[in-house]
Amino acid sequence: MKILLASDSFKGSLTSQRIVQLLEKAVGQVFPQAVTEGMLVADGGEGTMEAMVAELQGSVRTVEVRGPMGAPVQASYGRLPGGRAIIEMAQASGLPLVPTEQRNPMRATSYGTGQLIRDALERGIRDITIAVGGSATNDGGMGALAALGVRFLDEQGEPLEGCGADLARVQTIDLSGLHPAAAQTAFTVMCDVTNPLLGPSGASHTFGPQKGADPAMMEQLERGMSRYAALAEQVTGVSAAFQPGAGAAGGLGFALMAFLGAQRRPGIETVLDLIHFDQKLEGADLVITGEGRMDWQSSFGKVPAGVGERCKRAGVPAVAIVGGLLAGYEEIYRHGICSVETTVSGVMSLEDAMAHSEDLYLDAACRLLRSVRCGMELRGR
């Protein structure tokens, strides 16, 4: 019997790696003759870079870059085998880097993310995946492009730094200084957001408030973004403003697609391809996945849904272990997940559940596997 172990982390309590170890222990107790293969997975959000580096035996490179509000920060990206890299925008330009009272998308810049991309290019990497969640910015990716050598000039011909306030000031875009390696590099935007760049569901109106924008600021950003997008289309010949995902990360998705030819892919799909999940499914009898909390959102780009869909196509049963269940979780059954087990085994506070997460998880895994064994016995296997 071959069992694959592919769970997301339980934020704040269990890493994906620790979950694999606990599952291996549970399998050893219930199916001592089974062969297990554990893998680290994530959905493109926080922790994806670390998971991919560990899973693929890559390395982490840390460099000093310009943070979202201009102060220097230490940011890391992952170098993967085969001349590839994975970058989390949040490392350099993320919202958690900015105290709540200082958040201001008019001033925030994605320049540091561009510095990470540039560093990877200068080290010969020609396949770069960028996870764009959790940004503090709404600059249309101007800052990142500026770090890569694109010049944005105002009406006096002076270069702009690349922040939200600069969107309305751009008169000329000069691509002559774009890093030459960019044209030789395959870029992937790892993104589950489908919002366009402009309009009521665009970057400024949808995500601006959480980054510190008030209604007047949102309107100003929207006008500037519209002007910037039109100018970018003239220069690049690419119409990307209304492409799904163009509004991700304050418009960084748009910049990567329009200027660098990036392809957008859902986070979990990108991760599963990177770790060759489909090949590992061959010959598997069962897959165990999961996440910290399962609700209606779990069916939209989260690890259990992504894993479940792959298993469904391959005809391999998949089950999930989760920390808790909320409204709409049952939608996951439409995505290849056969059963869901919670770690919480009685009435307890969140603090208690977190404090005893390892024991609770192991107990839940054993309960689930015993149910699987019962089903096998009923089938006479």
mmCIF file of all heavy atoms in Angstrom, residues 250-295:
data_model
loop_
_atom_site.group_PDB
_atom_site.id
_atom_site.type_symbol
_atom_site.label_atom_id
_atom_site.label_comp_id
_atom_site.label_asym_id
_atom_site.label_seq_id
_atom_site.Cartn_x
_atom_site.Cartn_y
_atom_site.Cartn_z
ATOM 1 N N GLY A 250 -1.623 44.947 -6.181
ATOM 2 C CA GLY A 250 -1.628 46.363 -6.539
ATOM 3 C C GLY A 250 -1.191 46.628 -7.962
ATOM 4 O O GLY A 250 -0.676 47.692 -8.281
ATOM 5 N N GLY A 251 -1.428 45.641 -8.840
ATOM 6 C CA GLY A 251 -1.083 45.824 -10.249
ATOM 7 C C GLY A 251 0.252 45.233 -10.651
ATOM 8 O O GLY A 251 0.647 45.334 -11.814
ATOM 9 N N LEU A 252 0.955 44.587 -9.726
ATOM 10 C CA LEU A 252 2.200 43.924 -10.122
ATOM 11 C C LEU A 252 1.910 42.827 -11.139
ATOM 12 O O LEU A 252 2.690 42.595 -12.062
ATOM 13 C CB LEU A 252 2.920 43.338 -8.913
ATOM 14 C CG LEU A 252 4.229 42.604 -9.227
ATOM 15 C CD1 LEU A 252 5.273 43.558 -9.790
ATOM 16 C CD2 LEU A 252 4.771 41.886 -7.994
ATOM 17 N N GLY A 253 0.758 42.164 -10.981
ATOM 18 C CA GLY A 253 0.375 41.149 -11.957
ATOM 19 C C GLY A 253 0.323 41.733 -13.356
ATOM 20 O O GLY A 253 0.809 41.126 -14.326
ATOM 21 N N PHE A 254 -0.254 42.920 -13.480
ATOM 22 C CA PHE A 254 -0.322 43.608 -14.773
ATOM 23 C C PHE A 254 1.074 43.886 -15.321
ATOM 24 O O PHE A 254 1.362 43.618 -16.494
ATOM 25 C CB PHE A 254 -1.082 44.926 -14.599
ATOM 26 C CG PHE A 254 -0.937 45.873 -15.754
ATOM 27 C CD1 PHE A 254 -1.684 45.703 -16.908
ATOM 28 C CD2 PHE A 254 -0.049 46.945 -15.696
ATOM 29 C CE1 PHE A 254 -1.548 46.570 -17.989
ATOM 30 C CE2 PHE A 254 0.097 47.813 -16.757
ATOM 31 C CZ PHE A 254 -0.658 47.629 -17.914
ATOM 32 N N ALA A 255 1.944 44.427 -14.485
ATOM 33 C CA ALA A 255 3.289 44.782 -14.934
ATOM 34 C C ALA A 255 4.053 43.566 -15.425
ATOM 35 O O ALA A 255 4.730 43.612 -16.466
ATOM 36 C CB ALA A 255 4.056 45.461 -13.795
ATOM 37 N N LEU A 256 3.948 42.457 -14.697
ATOM 38 C CA LEU A 256 4.673 41.249 -15.087
ATOM 39 C C LEU A 256 4.137 40.685 -16.395
ATOM 40 O O LEU A 256 4.905 40.200 -17.241
ATOM 41 C CB LEU A 256 4.572 40.205 -13.970
ATOM 42 C CG LEU A 256 5.253 40.570 -12.644
ATOM 43 C CD1 LEU A 256 4.916 39.551 -11.566
ATOM 44 C CD2 LEU A 256 6.763 40.680 -12.821
ATOM 45 N N MET A 257 2.823 40.757 -16.584
ATOM 46 C CA MET A 257 2.243 40.244 -17.822
ATOM 47 C C MET A 257 2.522 41.156 -19.010
ATOM 48 O O MET A 257 2.886 40.696 -20.096
ATOM 49 C CB MET A 257 0.732 40.036 -17.644
ATOM 50 C CG MET A 257 0.373 38.879 -16.724
ATOM 51 S SD MET A 257 -1.403 38.492 -16.688
ATOM 52 C CE MET A 257 -1.998 39.707 -15.518
ATOM 53 N N ALA A 258 2.359 42.464 -18.809
ATOM 54 C CA ALA A 258 2.487 43.407 -19.927
ATOM 55 C C ALA A 258 3.934 43.638 -20.338
ATOM 56 O O ALA A 258 4.248 43.699 -21.528
ATOM 57 C CB ALA A 258 1.827 44.739 -19.548
ATOM 58 N N PHE A 259 4.830 43.770 -19.373
ATOM 59 C CA PHE A 259 6.214 44.139 -19.674
ATOM 60 C C PHE A 259 7.157 42.944 -19.779
ATOM 61 O O PHE A 259 8.157 43.008 -20.494
ATOM 62 C CB PHE A 259 6.748 45.101 -18.612
ATOM 63 C CG PHE A 259 6.132 46.469 -18.659
ATOM 64 C CD1 PHE A 259 4.952 46.753 -17.986
ATOM 65 C CD2 PHE A 259 6.734 47.491 -19.380
ATOM 66 C CE1 PHE A 259 4.378 48.011 -18.015
ATOM 67 C CE2 PHE A 259 6.176 48.769 -19.421
ATOM 68 C CZ PHE A 259 4.994 49.025 -18.750
ATOM 69 N N LEU A 260 6.841 41.850 -19.055
ATOM 70 C CA LEU A 260 7.762 40.711 -19.013
ATOM 71 C C LEU A 260 7.175 39.445 -19.625
ATOM 72 O O LEU A 260 7.824 38.397 -19.624
ATOM 73 C CB LEU A 260 8.195 40.433 -17.566
ATOM 74 C CG LEU A 260 8.883 41.595 -16.836
ATOM 75 C CD1 LEU A 260 9.274 41.172 -15.426
ATOM 76 C CD2 LEU A 260 10.111 42.073 -17.604
ATOM 77 N N GLY A 261 5.954 39.536 -20.131
ATOM 78 C CA GLY A 261 5.346 38.371 -20.776
ATOM 79 C C GLY A 261 5.030 37.231 -19.833
ATOM 80 O O GLY A 261 4.994 36.062 -20.247
ATOM 81 N N ALA A 262 4.779 37.531 -18.579
ATOM 82 C CA ALA A 262 4.530 36.490 -17.581
ATOM 83 C C ALA A 262 3.204 35.782 -17.843
ATOM 84 O O ALA A 262 2.236 36.381 -18.334
ATOM 85 C CB ALA A 262 4.518 37.092 -16.182
ATOM 86 N N GLN A 263 3.174 34.507 -17.498
ATOM 87 C CA GLN A 263 1.956 33.711 -17.546
ATOM 88 C C GLN A 263 1.395 33.576 -16.141
ATOM 89 O O GLN A 263 2.138 33.323 -15.193
ATOM 90 C CB GLN A 263 2.253 32.318 -18.113
ATOM 91 C CG GLN A 263 2.809 32.325 -19.519
ATOM 92 C CD GLN A 263 1.835 32.901 -20.534
ATOM 93 O OE1 GLN A 263 0.670 32.502 -20.588
ATOM 94 N NE2 GLN A 263 2.307 33.856 -21.330
ATOM 95 N N ARG A 264 0.082 33.758 -16.010
ATOM 96 C CA ARG A 264 -0.545 33.617 -14.697
ATOM 97 C C ARG A 264 -1.011 32.189 -14.491
ATOM 98 O O ARG A 264 -1.631 31.593 -15.371
ATOM 99 C CB ARG A 264 -1.738 34.562 -14.574
ATOM 100 C CG ARG A 264 -2.550 34.349 -13.302
ATOM 101 C CD ARG A 264 -3.854 35.121 -13.327
ATOM 102 N NE ARG A 264 -4.749 34.644 -12.276
ATOM 103 C CZ ARG A 264 -5.645 33.683 -12.434
ATOM 104 N NH1 ARG A 264 -5.775 33.099 -13.605
ATOM 105 N NH2 ARG A 264 -6.418 33.306 -11.436
ATOM 106 N N ARG A 265 -0.710 31.639 -13.305
ATOM 107 C CA ARG A 265 -1.164 30.307 -12.955
ATOM 108 C C ARG A 265 -1.611 30.285 -11.492
ATOM 109 O O ARG A 265 -1.017 30.974 -10.650
ATOM 110 C CB ARG A 265 -0.047 29.265 -13.142
ATOM 111 C CG ARG A 265 0.401 29.094 -14.571
ATOM 112 C CD ARG A 265 1.008 27.712 -14.767
ATOM 113 N NE ARG A 265 0.019 26.669 -14.553
ATOM 114 C CZ ARG A 265 0.310 25.446 -14.083
ATOM 115 N NH1 ARG A 265 1.546 25.143 -13.739
ATOM 116 N NH2 ARG A 265 -0.634 24.544 -13.934
ATOM 117 N N PRO A 266 -2.652 29.513 -11.173
ATOM 118 C CA PRO A 266 -3.062 29.387 -9.776
ATOM 119 C C PRO A 266 -1.919 28.849 -8.925
ATOM 120 O O PRO A 266 -1.129 28.007 -9.371
ATOM 121 C CB PRO A 266 -4.223 28.387 -9.834
ATOM 122 C CG PRO A 266 -4.742 28.489 -11.237
ATOM 123 C CD PRO A 266 -3.535 28.769 -12.081
ATOM 124 N N GLY A 267 -1.840 29.312 -7.693
ATOM 125 C CA GLY A 267 -0.730 28.958 -6.826
ATOM 126 C C GLY A 267 -0.572 27.470 -6.600
ATOM 127 O O GLY A 267 0.514 26.906 -6.781
ATOM 128 N N ILE A 268 -1.655 26.783 -6.202
ATOM 129 C CA ILE A 268 -1.532 25.363 -5.891
ATOM 130 C C ILE A 268 -1.186 24.568 -7.142
ATOM 131 O O ILE A 268 -0.426 23.589 -7.076
ATOM 132 C CB ILE A 268 -2.824 24.830 -5.221
ATOM 133 C CG1 ILE A 268 -2.647 23.359 -4.823
ATOM 134 C CG2 ILE A 268 -4.032 25.034 -6.109
ATOM 135 C CD1 ILE A 268 -1.514 23.081 -3.871
ATOM 136 N N GLU A 269 -1.710 24.954 -8.300
ATOM 137 C CA GLU A 269 -1.376 24.237 -9.533
ATOM 138 C C GLU A 269 0.111 24.371 -9.851
ATOM 139 O O GLU A 269 0.765 23.407 -10.266
ATOM 140 C CB GLU A 269 -2.217 24.774 -10.698
ATOM 141 C CG GLU A 269 -3.707 24.558 -10.539
ATOM 142 C CD GLU A 269 -4.092 23.092 -10.399
ATOM 143 O OE1 GLU A 269 -3.452 22.238 -11.056
ATOM 144 O OE2 GLU A 269 -5.001 22.788 -9.613
ATOM 145 N N THR A 270 0.649 25.564 -9.657
ATOM 146 C CA THR A 270 2.073 25.793 -9.902
ATOM 147 C C THR A 270 2.922 24.949 -8.963
ATOM 148 O O THR A 270 3.904 24.316 -9.374
ATOM 149 C CB THR A 270 2.419 27.277 -9.721
ATOM 150 O OG1 THR A 270 1.562 28.068 -10.548
ATOM 151 C CG2 THR A 270 3.856 27.560 -10.093
ATOM 152 N N VAL A 271 2.541 24.932 -7.684
ATOM 153 C CA VAL A 271 3.297 24.169 -6.695
ATOM 154 C C VAL A 271 3.265 22.677 -7.016
ATOM 155 O O VAL A 271 4.298 21.993 -7.005
ATOM 156 C CB VAL A 271 2.743 24.427 -5.281
ATOM 157 C CG1 VAL A 271 3.312 23.422 -4.279
ATOM 158 C CG2 VAL A 271 3.061 25.848 -4.842
ATOM 159 N N LEU A 272 2.090 22.152 -7.337
ATOM 160 C CA LEU A 272 1.978 20.723 -7.621
ATOM 161 C C LEU A 272 2.779 20.327 -8.858
ATOM 162 O O LEU A 272 3.357 19.231 -8.908
ATOM 163 C CB LEU A 272 0.506 20.334 -7.795
ATOM 164 C CG LEU A 272 -0.349 20.420 -6.516
ATOM 165 C CD1 LEU A 272 -1.800 20.084 -6.822
ATOM 166 C CD2 LEU A 272 0.189 19.511 -5.418
ATOM 167 N N ASP A 273 2.851 21.209 -9.814
ATOM 168 C CA ASP A 273 3.675 20.926 -10.992
ATOM 169 C C ASP A 273 5.163 20.971 -10.646
ATOM 170 O O ASP A 273 5.948 20.142 -11.116
ATOM 171 C CB ASP A 273 3.370 21.914 -12.116
ATOM 172 C CG ASP A 273 2.051 21.613 -12.822
ATOM 173 O OD1 ASP A 273 1.506 20.511 -12.617
ATOM 174 O OD2 ASP A 273 1.567 22.483 -13.557
ATOM 175 N N LEU A 274 5.547 21.940 -9.816
ATOM 176 C CA LEU A 274 6.957 22.063 -9.443
ATOM 177 C C LEU A 274 7.468 20.817 -8.724
ATOM 178 O O LEU A 274 8.623 20.408 -8.901
ATOM 179 C CB LEU A 274 7.169 23.289 -8.547
ATOM 180 C CG LEU A 274 7.218 24.665 -9.228
ATOM 181 C CD1 LEU A 274 7.214 25.780 -8.192
ATOM 182 C CD2 LEU A 274 8.451 24.781 -10.118
ATOM 183 N N ILE A 275 6.605 20.201 -7.909
ATOM 184 C CA ILE A 275 7.041 19.030 -7.146
ATOM 185 C C ILE A 275 6.702 17.717 -7.860
ATOM 186 O O ILE A 275 6.869 16.642 -7.294
ATOM 187 C CB ILE A 275 6.444 19.028 -5.728
ATOM 188 C CG1 ILE A 275 4.919 18.860 -5.767
ATOM 189 C CG2 ILE A 275 6.834 20.290 -4.975
ATOM 190 C CD1 ILE A 275 4.296 18.678 -4.389
ATOM 191 N N HIS A 276 6.214 17.810 -9.114
ATOM 192 C CA HIS A 276 5.910 16.621 -9.929
ATOM 193 C C HIS A 276 4.883 15.722 -9.237
ATOM 194 O O HIS A 276 5.048 14.497 -9.162
ATOM 195 C CB HIS A 276 7.193 15.842 -10.234
ATOM 196 C CG HIS A 276 8.286 16.687 -10.827
ATOM 197 N ND1 HIS A 276 8.169 17.286 -12.077
ATOM 198 C CD2 HIS A 276 9.499 17.053 -10.342
ATOM 199 C CE1 HIS A 276 9.273 17.967 -12.337
ATOM 200 N NE2 HIS A 276 10.087 17.857 -11.302
ATOM 201 N N PHE A 277 3.821 16.343 -8.745
ATOM 202 C CA PHE A 277 2.820 15.612 -7.974
ATOM 203 C C PHE A 277 2.157 14.512 -8.788
ATOM 204 O O PHE A 277 1.917 13.406 -8.278
ATOM 205 C CB PHE A 277 1.762 16.588 -7.443
ATOM 206 C CG PHE A 277 0.723 15.948 -6.576
ATOM 207 C CD1 PHE A 277 1.000 15.618 -5.252
ATOM 208 C CD2 PHE A 277 -0.545 15.663 -7.068
ATOM 209 C CE1 PHE A 277 0.044 15.023 -4.441
ATOM 210 C CE2 PHE A 277 -1.506 15.065 -6.270
ATOM 211 C CZ PHE A 277 -1.210 14.747 -4.950
ATOM 212 N N ASP A 278 1.841 14.776 -10.044
ATOM 213 C CA ASP A 278 1.143 13.778 -10.858
ATOM 214 C C ASP A 278 1.963 12.502 -11.003
ATOM 215 O O ASP A 278 1.419 11.389 -10.974
ATOM 216 C CB ASP A 278 0.809 14.354 -12.232
ATOM 217 C CG ASP A 278 -0.277 15.416 -12.167
ATOM 218 O OD1 ASP A 278 -0.945 15.514 -11.121
ATOM 219 O OD2 ASP A 278 -0.450 16.160 -13.146
ATOM 220 N N GLN A 279 3.277 12.659 -11.171
ATOM 221 C CA GLN A 279 4.132 11.470 -11.271
ATOM 222 C C GLN A 279 4.145 10.697 -9.960
ATOM 223 O O GLN A 279 4.144 9.462 -9.950
ATOM 224 C CB GLN A 279 5.562 11.863 -11.651
ATOM 225 C CG GLN A 279 5.715 12.380 -13.080
ATOM 226 C CD GLN A 279 5.601 13.897 -13.164
ATOM 227 O OE1 GLN A 279 4.715 14.499 -12.542
ATOM 228 N NE2 GLN A 279 6.487 14.507 -13.923
ATOM 229 N N LYS A 280 4.144 11.416 -8.845
ATOM 230 C CA LYS A 280 4.160 10.749 -7.544
ATOM 231 C C LYS A 280 2.841 10.029 -7.264
ATOM 232 O O LYS A 280 2.800 9.083 -6.458
ATOM 233 C CB LYS A 280 4.447 11.767 -6.444
ATOM 234 C CG LYS A 280 5.859 12.354 -6.526
ATOM 235 C CD LYS A 280 6.100 13.404 -5.460
ATOM 236 C CE LYS A 280 7.520 13.965 -5.576
ATOM 237 N NZ LYS A 280 7.820 15.001 -4.570
ATOM 238 N N LEU A 281 1.764 10.475 -7.910
ATOM 239 C CA LEU A 281 0.464 9.830 -7.736
ATOM 240 C C LEU A 281 0.421 8.432 -8.328
ATOM 241 O O LEU A 281 -0.416 7.602 -7.935
ATOM 242 C CB LEU A 281 -0.625 10.678 -8.404
ATOM 243 C CG LEU A 281 -1.482 11.598 -7.544
ATOM 244 C CD1 LEU A 281 -2.503 12.306 -8.398
ATOM 245 C CD2 LEU A 281 -2.159 10.838 -6.411
ATOM 246 N N GLU A 282 1.277 8.159 -9.283
ATOM 247 C CA GLU A 282 1.252 6.866 -9.960
ATOM 248 C C GLU A 282 1.496 5.741 -8.962
ATOM 249 O O GLU A 282 2.481 5.735 -8.237
ATOM 250 C CB GLU A 282 2.309 6.832 -11.067
ATOM 251 C CG GLU A 282 2.034 7.824 -12.190
ATOM 252 C CD GLU A 282 3.146 7.872 -13.214
ATOM 253 O OE1 GLU A 282 4.078 7.040 -13.114
ATOM 254 O OE2 GLU A 282 3.089 8.728 -14.120
ATOM 255 N N GLY A 283 0.580 4.812 -8.903
ATOM 256 C CA GLY A 283 0.700 3.682 -7.991
ATOM 257 C C GLY A 283 0.246 3.961 -6.581
ATOM 258 O O GLY A 283 0.328 3.073 -5.713
ATOM 259 N N ALA A 284 -0.241 5.178 -6.296
ATOM 260 C CA ALA A 284 -0.705 5.509 -4.944
ATOM 261 C C ALA A 284 -2.077 4.900 -4.684
ATOM 262 O O ALA A 284 -2.919 4.802 -5.583
ATOM 263 C CB ALA A 284 -0.754 7.013 -4.754
ATOM 264 N N ASP A 285 -2.305 4.488 -3.434
ATOM 265 C CA ASP A 285 -3.597 3.936 -3.027
ATOM 266 C C ASP A 285 -4.436 4.950 -2.259
ATOM 267 O O ASP A 285 -5.652 4.832 -2.186
ATOM 268 C CB ASP A 285 -3.380 2.705 -2.145
ATOM 269 C CG ASP A 285 -2.658 1.594 -2.876
ATOM 270 O OD1 ASP A 285 -3.288 0.958 -3.742
ATOM 271 O OD2 ASP A 285 -1.463 1.389 -2.600
ATOM 272 N N LEU A 286 -3.762 5.950 -1.648
ATOM 273 C CA LEU A 286 -4.465 6.936 -0.821
ATOM 274 C C LEU A 286 -3.602 8.181 -0.721
ATOM 275 O O LEU A 286 -2.373 8.085 -0.685
ATOM 276 C CB LEU A 286 -4.715 6.366 0.580
ATOM 277 C CG LEU A 286 -5.375 7.295 1.612
ATOM 278 C CD1 LEU A 286 -6.842 7.534 1.240
ATOM 279 C CD2 LEU A 286 -5.276 6.690 3.015
ATOM 280 N N VAL A 287 -4.268 9.334 -0.664
ATOM 281 C CA VAL A 287 -3.576 10.598 -0.443
ATOM 282 C C VAL A 287 -4.212 11.294 0.762
ATOM 283 O O VAL A 287 -5.441 11.366 0.869
ATOM 284 C CB VAL A 287 -3.658 11.524 -1.679
ATOM 285 C CG1 VAL A 287 -3.022 12.881 -1.374
ATOM 286 C CG2 VAL A 287 -2.967 10.870 -2.873
ATOM 287 N N ILE A 288 -3.382 11.774 1.672
ATOM 288 C CA ILE A 288 -3.868 12.527 2.830
ATOM 289 C C ILE A 288 -3.399 13.976 2.682
ATOM 290 O O ILE A 288 -2.203 14.245 2.538
ATOM 291 C CB ILE A 288 -3.338 11.952 4.150
ATOM 292 C CG1 ILE A 288 -3.706 10.476 4.265
ATOM 293 C CG2 ILE A 288 -3.918 12.729 5.337
ATOM 294 C CD1 ILE A 288 -3.129 9.799 5.513
ATOM 295 N N THR A 289 -4.350 14.892 2.716
ATOM 296 C CA THR A 289 -4.048 16.316 2.587
ATOM 297 C C THR A 289 -4.705 17.059 3.750
ATOM 298 O O THR A 289 -5.120 16.445 4.727
ATOM 299 C CB THR A 289 -4.523 16.841 1.215
ATOM 300 O OG1 THR A 289 -4.125 18.208 1.058
ATOM 301 C CG2 THR A 289 -6.033 16.741 1.058
ATOM 302 N N GLY A 290 -4.788 18.372 3.668
ATOM 303 C CA GLY A 290 -5.440 19.130 4.722
ATOM 304 C C GLY A 290 -4.970 20.560 4.807
ATOM 305 O O GLY A 290 -4.110 21.012 4.048
ATOM 306 N N GLU A 291 -5.554 21.287 5.764
ATOM 307 C CA GLU A 291 -5.217 22.680 6.033
ATOM 308 C C GLU A 291 -5.739 23.036 7.417
ATOM 309 O O GLU A 291 -6.499 22.271 8.015
ATOM 310 C CB GLU A 291 -5.821 23.603 4.977
ATOM 311 C CG GLU A 291 -7.343 23.570 4.940
ATOM 312 C CD GLU A 291 -7.936 24.463 3.865
ATOM 313 O OE1 GLU A 291 -7.232 25.362 3.389
ATOM 314 O OE2 GLU A 291 -9.111 24.248 3.510
ATOM 315 N N GLY A 292 -5.354 24.187 7.902
ATOM 316 C CA GLY A 292 -5.732 24.570 9.256
ATOM 317 C C GLY A 292 -7.217 24.767 9.470
ATOM 318 O O GLY A 292 -7.774 24.340 10.478
ATOM 319 N N ARG A 293 -7.869 25.411 8.509
ATOM 320 C CA ARG A 293 -9.311 25.654 8.628
ATOM 321 C C ARG A 293 -9.943 25.453 7.269
ATOM 322 O O ARG A 293 -9.456 25.982 6.259
ATOM 323 C CB ARG A 293 -9.578 27.082 9.118
ATOM 324 C CG ARG A 293 -11.059 27.387 9.318
ATOM 325 C CD ARG A 293 -11.283 28.825 9.739
ATOM 326 N NE ARG A 293 -10.987 29.755 8.663
ATOM 327 C CZ ARG A 293 -11.066 31.085 8.761
ATOM 328 N NH1 ARG A 293 -11.387 31.622 9.932
ATOM 329 N NH2 ARG A 293 -10.791 31.855 7.741
ATOM 330 N N MET A 294 -11.024 24.711 7.226
ATOM 331 C CA MET A 294 -11.700 24.452 5.960
ATOM 332 C C MET A 294 -13.068 25.118 5.967
ATOM 333 O O MET A 294 -13.859 24.955 6.900
ATOM 334 C CB MET A 294 -11.845 22.942 5.738
ATOM 335 C CG MET A 294 -12.488 22.576 4.402
ATOM 336 S SD MET A 294 -12.414 20.792 4.071
ATOM 337 C CE MET A 294 -10.698 20.635 3.537
ATOM 338 N N ASP A 295 -13.339 25.902 4.908
ATOM 339 C CA ASP A 295 -14.647 26.522 4.734
ATOM 340 C C ASP A 295 -14.922 26.622 3.239
ATOM 341 O O ASP A 295 -14.283 25.936 2.433
ATOM 342 C CB ASP A 295 -14.709 27.894 5.422
ATOM 343 C CG ASP A 295 -13.630 28.853 4.922
ATOM 344 O OD1 ASP A 295 -13.059 28.629 3.825
ATOM 345 O OD2 ASP A 295 -13.334 29.838 5.622
#
